[in-house]
Amino acid sequence: EDQVTQSPEALRLQEGESSSLNCSYTVSGLRGLFWYRQDPGKGPEFLFTLYSAGEEKEKERLKATLTKKESFLHITAPKPEDSATYLCAVQAADSWGKLQFGAGTQVVVTP
Amino acid sequence: EAGVTQSPTHLIKTRGQQATLRCSPISGHTSVYWYQQALGLGLQFLLWYDEGEERNRGNFPPRFSGRQFPNYSSELNVNALELEDSALYLCASSLGLDPSSTDTQYFGPGTRLTVL
């Protein structure tokens, strides 16, 4: 059965304190791995799509990387506006269209 | 460019009633997806429609159903509402059916359904 596990569940950072979020997955054939951020009561906002091991993508203070078993979302010198829940999702080769989400990592960045 | 829109924003129903939720995809997108985000359970895949057809279905009972219209907008219907159906219902859209690609799904703001 496909599984997506995110850690830690929650992360509290000081402004400027870099850190990494982990997403480990078990899936029968990976079509793609997705990162989203979600603010309370709102829909997820798309960040990155990764397709194969070794791939990296960057956007402002965020960088996502992918291996065969896990993905990392690195937050460099975070600001309070980076506070959100970060969600990881995978799409399996045998379940077209369906995204399987992890439970998310809640990040709070304090000034 | 307008994003995915959903209506209503909030919906309050009583147990046993029916709820209808609506979604308009991003212009040019033909695929629409529905997800349920209940407290403590994370996002769960409900349904996927493309070109008016149901393409995939998550592990939900048949009282969760929907349809896609010729203009690619979609409707989610939940019959015989139960208390545990209270959740944020999210709609997403993507470019559409292409076996060679993995579509990125873009989400709307959601409809908060409360069942009393």
Side-chain angles (χ1 to χ4, degrees), chain A residues 3 6 15-17 22 31-33 37 42-43 54 62 76 80 86 89 93 99 101:
Chain A
Q3 277 198 319
Q6 291 189 246
E15 185 171 1
E17 178 188 1
N22 177 265
R31 289 179 65 92
L33 184 141
R37 69 167 277 166
K42 297 191 176 180
L62 300 177
T76 303
Y86 290 85
L99 290 181
F101 280 86

Side-chain angles (χ1 to χ4, degrees), chain B residues 14-46:
Chain B
T14 56
R15 201 169 53 181
Q17 284 189 313
Q18 179 195 39
T20 299
L21 289 65
R22 296 180 176 84
C23 171
S24 290
I26 293 170
S27 177
H29 286 189
T30 64
S31 274
V32 171
Y33 310 81
W34 288 95
Y35 290 83
Q36 182 195 66
Q37 189 173 30
L39 207 60
L41 288 180
L43 274 100
Q44 304 289 322
F45 170 77
L46 267 165

